[in-house]
Amino acid sequence: MHYSLLFLLLLRSFTTASGFGSLGPIAAAFGDNGFFCAIDASGKQEVICWPKNTTLLSSSSSSSSSSTAYSSLTSIPPMEALSGGEGFLCGILANTSRAFCWSSISPGVDLVPLAYRATAYSQIAAGKSHVCAIRGSYYSDHDSGTVDCWDVVKGSNNSLTSAQSSGFYDQSIGNLVFNRVVSGDGFSCGEVREGGVVCWGPNSTTIGVSEASENYIALASATDSVCGISEESSEVKCWGRSNDSFSSLPIRTRFVSLAAGAEHFCGIREDTHGIECWGSFNLSSVPKGGSGFVAIASSDFTTCAIRENDLVIDCWFSDGISPPEYDPPLELCSPGLCVPGSCGDREFVFNASILNEPDLTTLCVRKDLKICKPCGSDCSKGFFLSSSCTANSDRVCTDCSLCQNSSCWDVCGMQSSAKKQWHHLSRLLIVIGSSAFAFFLILTCCFVLPCLITTRKEEGSKNQFKSCIGKSELETDNASESYQPPSMASCPGMAQVFRLSELKDATNGFKEFNELGRGSYGFVYKAILPDGRQVAVKRANAATIIHSNSRDFEMELEILCNVRHCNIVNLLGYCSEMGERLLVYEYMPHGTLHDHLHSGLSPLSWTLRLKIALQAAKGLEYLHKEAEPSIVHRNVKTSNILLDSEWGARIADFGLLTANEKDFGGDMKTDVYEFGTVLLEILSGRKAYDRDCTPPSIVEWAVPLIRQGKAAAIVDRYVALPRNFEPLLKFADIAELALKENPDDRPTMSDLANWLEQIVKDIL
C-alpha cells in the first residue's frame, strides 16, 4: 500500500540536504559503525572516508590502514554523489552512473543486489535500512525513470548484506516515473514526472504531515521526525513524533541546506551560510562567525561541514564536550555535486581557480558538468559585505578591521562617538587644507609659474613622456611612434608612488579572495583604489626580495616605466615601503586567454581569437623592436596574455633580459617559438601539454599534421567554423613556421605580426 501527500517535495539541486536518504558531496553513516565520507576537490571525484577514531583513508590511498576493518575502503571507486544510511553509505559512480553501496562491517561486500548492479541511476537515497534509486543517467539534465528499492539486512555477525525489498515494493508505484526520490526511516517519497509526490513504505504514515500542499526544496530525516525547507519562504517546517527534535526551531530564518542526526537537525543559513542547529544538540558547540559553509552532513552525535573559504572540513559534537569521534581530513573537499544544465536564480557556478591550485581547472570529472551553489546575501558578525554575488562567484565578506568608510560603519558596529570624532577630524582637515592651499597658490603665482612658462617655451613641441599613469587608450595605440622615452633614471620618480597602507586597504589586506594569480615573483591581487580605479597589485614574495637588492628593483622600474603600448599590461605605479616591493598594473577584467581556451569560460569566436593572436604578436613585437631598451619576454604562454575590458589582448609578466645581455637574438627566437605554441592552442583549443592526450605535447601532435597538409584535423570543433576556412589553414602554417627546430629558420615577431594582420583582414 502506498501513501501520497507526505511532502510535495521539489528538490532543485542534489546538494540541499543531508541525513537519511539525502544526496550530497559529504555524507554520514549512522549507528555504532558510523563513518563519514566526502568527495575530494581534485576534479577526479575520488572519495575520502574517515571512520571513528581511526586513520584517514582515501579511495586514492595505497597505504595500509591501522584498522583492518577499514582497509577495503581504499578501493572505493570515484563517485558523483553520496547518501548515508545506518552503518552504510551509497553513491553514484562517476562516468557509469551505476549504484555502489558499502559498509564498515563488511567493506568488501557491494550492498547493491546483483540484479541492479548493471543499472544506471540518476539519484540514490539510502534510508535507515533500505535504499531506493531512480533509473536513468546522472548526467542527463532532467532524467527520470522508475524506482528500484532494496533492503540492507544485518546478518548474525552484524555484517550487512542486500536483498530485493519486499517491504518497500508497492505495485501501485511500480509503473510511476520519478524525477526525485528521498528515503527516511522506513519510508521513501518521490516526485512524479507528471506532478505531485507519492510516498511508500511501512512507516510512511507515522510522520503526520499537516501541510501537504506546500512544496519543499530540501528534506532531512532523523530517527522519528522530518524537517523540510519551504520552497515559498525558505523557512524550516518539521513533522514527526519527537517533540524534542523541534525544540529551539529557528523562526523566520531562511535556509538552503539541511542535515539530520539521530535526534537533531542542522541547516546552512541562506544569508550568511552559517550553521543553525535544533533538537537534542548543544548549541554552544556550533561554530559562530568567520567562514560560512557549503555542504553539511550529520551522524548520531557528530555534524561535519565544508567551509566555503578553503573547502576544509569542520566537525562539532552534539554534547559540546566529547572528544572528537571523527578526525576529519585536511584535504580539500568538493563544495557540492557536479550537475548538468545551467544554474538557477540566486546561484553561482563554483570556480576552481579560487583554490590557487595551478593544475586544477575544474572540480568535476567531466567538463560539461558544473557545481552550482546558492548565493549568500550577508556576512557573519565581524565582517561586512564588500562584493555582491555574481553568476561566477559568491558574495565577498571582508573583516571589519578593514572598514574604511561610512558604507560599512553600521554593519561593523562602529560607535556613534567614533563617527562624530571622524567628522570633527574631517572638518579640521578641511580648514587646515584650505589654508595650506591658499599659501601654496600665492607661492605658485609668485615663484613657480614663471619658471614653468620658461621651461615650456624652451621645450617647444618636443614629445614628452607623461608618466606611467593616466595615458589614454588613444595615446597608447600609437605609443611606439608618438613618444621619446625619457632617461631611465627619471622614470621611477614620474610613476605614481603608492603607500603600503593604501594598497593594503585596496586589496582587503592582501586576502586570498582578492588573489588573481601567483608565480615565481610573488602574488597578484585585485585592488580598488580610493578613486574607484580597479588595478592589479603584484607583490614580491620573500624569496624574490632576498635574492634581489634594491638597485635591481629600481632598474626594473626604470625599464617598466618606459614600456607603454596598447597591447602591453602597463605599469601604473609602485611601492617600496617597509621592505615590500609592489608593482601596480592596469587591471584586465576578462582574465587570461588560457581561462577562455581551457577553463570553461566563453570559448571565443574565430574572429576574436585571430584578433587576440594579432594583438599579442604586436605586443611582443613592441618589446623586441620598439621598447628602449629592447626586452625579451622569456615566458610567452596563454596565461600571460590577458584580456582587457574591450577584449583586447595585453602581454603580461615579461622578463627583463635586455639587449645588453648575452645571446639576445637567440632569446628573441625563443619568444617566437613559445608564441607558435600559443598559436596552436588558439587554433585547436587544446592545452600546450595535456597528459590525457597522446602525444601530450601539442607541438608533437599538431606540427606533423600541418606538415602533412592535414591542418584541418587540429582545428577546434567546439567553435562554429567560419564560412571562409582558408585563413585558419594559413594560421596553422604561420604557427608551424614559428615552431621551426632551428632558431635561425624562425621568423621575427614583426614578420608574424604582419602575416597575422593579413589573416585578420581575410576573415572579416
Side-chain angles (χ1 to χ4, degrees):
M1 177 178 181
H2 81 271
Y3 302 87
S4 61
L5 300 179
L6 175 63
F7 281 95
L8 292 180
L9 178 65
L10 296 177
L11 293 176
R12 290 180 294 191
S13 76
F14 298 150
T15 63
T16 53
S18 295
F20 280 137
S22 304
L23 209 59
I26 181 173
F30 289 69
D32 295 335
N33 297 294
F35 58 98
F36 277 84
C37 288
I39 298 172
D40 76 351
S42 68
K44 298 179 181 179
Q45 310 294 130
E46 293 174 342
V47 178
I48 305 168
C49 293
W50 60 106
K52 289 183 179 180
N53 302 319
T54 56
T55 304
L56 166 69
L57 298 173
S58 168
S59 61
S60 60
S61 173
S62 59
S63 59
S64 60
S65 170
S66 60
S67 171
T68 56
Y70 289 89
S71 60
S72 294
L73 288 182
T74 57
S75 62
I76 300 170
M79 296 280 183
E80 289 291 355
L82 303 172
S83 179
E86 186 168 81
F88 70 96
L89 251 64
C90 291
I92 294 177
L93 296 179
N95 295 321
T96 66
S97 296
R98 294 177 182 176
F100 184 84
C101 299
W102 70 98
S103 73
S104 60
I105 301 174
S106 50
V109 177
D110 185 356
L111 300 179
V112 178
L114 188 60
Y116 300 140
R117 290 182 187 175
T119 305
Y121 292 103
S122 61
Q123 278 206 29
I124 192 168
K128 183 175 182 180
S129 58
H130 78 285
V131 180
C132 287
I134 298 175
R135 293 190 174 218
S137 172
Y138 177 85
Y139 303 105
S140 177
D141 194 2
H142 298 289
D143 205 358
S144 56
T146 57
V147 67
D148 292 330
C149 295
W150 60 89
D151 293 320
V152 177
V153 183
K154 184 177 293 186
S156 57
N157 60 348
N158 288 329
S159 63
L160 298 179
T161 59
S162 62
Q164 289 182 258
S165 178
S166 58
F168 282 86
Y169 175 75
D170 194 311
Q171 187 174 5
S172 61
I173 67 163
N175 296 322
L176 294 179
V177 177
F178 291 92
N179 296 323
R180 305 281 188 268
V181 66
V182 64
S183 297
D185 182 0
F187 70 91
S188 288
C189 295
E191 174 196 348
V192 183
R193 182 175 61 183
E194 289 75 15
V197 171
V198 297
C199 300
W200 61 98
N203 297 338
S204 57
T205 59
T206 62
I207 303 300
V209 179
S210 59
E211 299 178 50
S213 61
E214 191 169 359
N215 296 337
Y216 295 88
I217 63 172
L219 180 70
S221 172
T223 301
D224 53 7
S225 56
V226 175
C227 289
I229 300 176
S230 166
E231 187 182 57
E232 180 179 353
S233 66
S234 295
E235 296 179 7
V236 171
K237 297 186 179 181
C238 297
W239 303 264
R241 294 185 294 187
S242 174
N243 292 329
D244 291 339
S245 295
F246 309 147
S247 62
S248 64
L249 180 68
I251 305 298
R252 290 187 294 276
T253 302
R254 298 169 65 91
F255 288 88
V256 295
S257 182
L258 282 181
E263 297 181 359
H264 75 273
F265 292 86
C266 291
I268 297 179
R269 296 173 58 111
E270 181 185 77
D271 52 1
T272 64
H273 289 176
I275 300 292
E276 295 279 346
C277 295
W278 59 97
S280 299
F281 200 87
N282 188 318
L283 299 180
S284 64
S285 67
V286 179
K288 300 292 184 183
S291 173
F293 296 88
V294 290
I296 186 171
S298 283
S299 66
D300 303 54
F301 306 106
T302 308
T303 297
C304 294
I306 300 171
R307 299 195 302 239
E308 65 181 349
N309 64 339
D310 57 11
L311 303 189
V312 172
I313 294 175
D314 269 347
C315 294
W316 57 98
F317 313 98
S318 58
D319 60 8
I321 57 175
S322 293
E325 285 187 300
Y326 301 92
D327 184 17
L330 294 178
E331 281 111 295
L332 304 186
C333 294
S334 178
L337 296 181
C338 298
V339 296
S342 58
C343 297
D345 294 337
R346 297 197 301 175
E347 289 185 329
F348 68 96
V349 179
F350 194 92
N351 189 348
S353 64
I354 70 171
L355 301 179
N356 300 317
E357 297 290 337
D359 297 328
L360 187 61
T361 59
T362 178
L363 299 183
C364 300
V365 71
R366 289 174 42 147
K367 293 182 179 179
D368 57 327
L369 302 180
K370 61 184 68 66
I371 295 176
C372 298
K373 298 305 301 176
C375 294
S377 58
D378 205 348
C379 300
S380 302
K381 186 176 181 180
F383 294 79
F384 66 92
L385 187 66
S386 56
S387 180
S388 299
C389 186
T390 67
N392 294 304
S393 63
D394 197 5
R395 56 54 173 126
V396 175
C397 295
T398 301
D399 194 296
C400 279
S401 63
L402 298 174
C403 177
Q404 298 294 322
N405 54 56
S406 58
S407 64
C408 52
W409 279 348
D410 292 336
V411 175
C412 290
M414 293 182 65
Q415 299 297 322
S416 58
S417 59
K419 297 179 186 178
K420 291 179 181 178
Q421 291 175 4
W422 172 254
H423 288 308
H424 289 318
L425 179 60
S426 300
R427 291 175 181 174
L428 180 61
L429 291 174
I430 291 174
V431 173
I432 295 174
S434 299
S435 302
F437 178 75
F439 176 76
F440 175 76
L441 187 61
I442 295 172
L443 181 65
T444 300
C445 292
C446 295
F447 300 101
V448 180
L449 188 58
C451 295
L452 290 177
I453 294 173
T454 302
T455 301
R456 179 160 297 183
K457 288 180 179 179
E458 291 175 355
E459 292 177 350
S461 59
K462 189 195 307 183
N463 291 325
Q464 296 296 310
F465 180 72
K466 296 186 177 181
S467 85
C468 286
I469 63 171
K471 185 176 279 288
S472 67
E473 290 296 320
L474 183 60
E475 290 174 295
T476 58
D477 281 341
N478 298 305
S480 61
E481 301 174 3
S482 62
Y483 76 89
Q484 297 295 324
S487 64
M488 290 189 293
S490 67
C491 189
M494 301 177 70
Q496 181 170 347
V497 180
F498 291 92
R499 296 297 303 271
L500 179 60
S501 58
E502 181 181 4
L503 296 182
K504 185 175 181 180
D505 291 345
T507 59
N508 291 311
F510 300 108
K511 288 292 191 299
E512 287 187 6
F513 58 75
N514 276 69
E515 192 176 309
L516 295 173
R518 60 177 64 181
S520 59
Y521 179 93
F523 300 84
V524 181
Y525 300 88
K526 179 181 178 181
I528 301 179
L529 299 178
D531 60 8
R533 282 184 296 163
Q534 290 185 328
V535 297
V537 177
K538 189 175 179 181
R539 186 188 193 192
N541 56 30
T544 300
I545 295 174
I546 291 172
H547 291 96
S548 62
N549 55 43
S550 58
R551 178 54 186 159
D552 293 333
F553 184 64
E554 292 175 2
M555 290 177 63
E556 182 176 9
L557 284 175
E558 291 171 357
I559 295 174
L560 295 178
C561 257
N562 290 337
V563 175
R564 300 294 298 173
H565 192 269
C566 60
N567 298 126
I568 297 292
V569 180
N570 296 303
L571 181 73
L572 303 180
Y574 69 97
C575 173
S576 58
E577 189 177 323
M578 297 183 67
E580 291 271 9
R581 294 180 188 170
L582 302 109
L583 300 173
V584 181
Y585 288 93
E586 298 169 306
Y587 174 64
M588 302 290 109
H590 287 303
T592 71
L593 176 59
H594 183 279
D595 291 336
H596 291 276
L597 292 177
H598 310 306
S599 300
L601 298 184
S602 58
L604 304 176
S605 67
W606 284 114
T607 300
L608 188 52
R609 288 192 190 201
L610 298 186
K611 285 183 177 179
I612 288 171
L614 170 60
Q615 291 162 349
K618 286 188 173 181
L620 290 170
E621 179 191 22
Y622 168 78
L623 292 177
H624 287 188
K625 187 177 180 181
E626 303 294 337
E628 183 61 39
S630 299
I631 297 171
V632 174
H633 192 290
R634 296 194 295 179
N635 196 20
V636 180
K637 55 185 180 180
T638 54
S639 58
N640 283 336
I641 298 175
L642 308 187
L643 303 177
D644 62 23
S645 59
E646 302 298 325
W647 296 94
R650 306 284 196 102
I651 298 294
D653 284 347
F654 41 87
L656 293 178
L657 180 64
T658 66
N660 297 325
E661 299 189 43
K662 186 178 180 181
D663 196 22
F664 181 68
D667 285 298
M668 279 188 172
K669 291 303 181 76
T670 300
D671 275 3
V672 170
Y673 185 91
E674 292 175 346
F675 185 68
T677 303
V678 169
L679 296 181
L680 290 184
E681 291 185 62
I682 292 173
L683 184 63
S684 68
R686 176 175 153 174
K687 294 180 181 178
Y689 189 87
D690 192 335
R691 287 174 291 183
D692 295 332
C693 298
T694 304
S697 167
I698 192 174
V699 175
E700 294 179 7
W701 166 68
V703 169
L705 291 173
I706 297 172
R707 290 174 179 171
Q708 295 168 20
K710 301 177 181 179
I714 71 172
V715 174
D716 192 344
R717 301 296 179 178
Y718 290 98
V719 182
L721 293 175
R723 292 183 179 179
N724 183 8
F725 192 76
E726 189 65 24
L728 297 186
L729 300 180
K730 293 180 180 178
F731 189 90
D733 291 336
I734 292 174
E736 188 273 332
L737 290 173
L739 292 164
K740 292 290 187 181
E741 290 82 357
N742 186 347
D744 294 335
D745 294 336
R746 298 170 198 160
T748 65
M749 285 308 308
S750 295
D751 293 331
L752 294 177
N754 291 333
W755 297 337
L756 289 171
E757 189 167 22
Q758 185 57 51
I759 285 180
V760 169
K761 292 178 181 178
D762 292 343
I763 204 169
L764 291 179

